Amino acid sequence: MFKASQGIEEVKHDPIKKTAVIKDIVESIALISDNIKRELYIKECATIVDVTEAVLVNETNKIRSLQLKKLKDFDKDDVAVLNENLKLITNHKKQLNQNHRIYFIRNAIFCAFWLNIQSWK
């Protein structure tokens, strides 16, 4: 709701800019999958931007319908490419985590070795 408060405050006297800010906020709200959370955000947003909840719900539903249509339009090739990309990203994250662990283990060994040397002095 910070986005709503800040954005509207900056454009409250310009209907065109205010509309753009509200649409941007509604697009963010439309991404919320939990119905209860989405409704609560809509209520809060309606108060902040001074627009009826019904209008925000209607706009949110339009966006969610378009998102659903896009998902249904994916064909098998699209899904295969997305799955392959997801595998690549997952493998990359695993590699980064492994490299991160190795880095910290090396540093821990170095620190232990250095402390050991210091205690010999």
Side-chain angles (χ1 to χ4, degrees), residues 14-59:
D14 184 341
I16 294 171
K17 289 181 182 177
K18 185 175 180 179
T19 301
V21 169
I22 292 171
K23 285 184 181 262
D24 183 47
I25 294 165
V26 169
E27 285 176 6
S28 296
I29 291 173
L31 297 173
I32 300 170
S33 60
D34 184 290
N35 291 332
I36 296 169
K37 283 183 186 177
R38 193 170 54 250
E39 183 171 339
L40 292 173
Y41 275 103
I42 287 172
K43 282 183 180 206
E44 183 70 24
C45 184
T47 302
I48 292 170
V49 300
D50 195 29
V51 173
T52 65
E53 285 180 45
V55 169
L56 295 180
V57 167
N58 187 28
E59 290 300 311

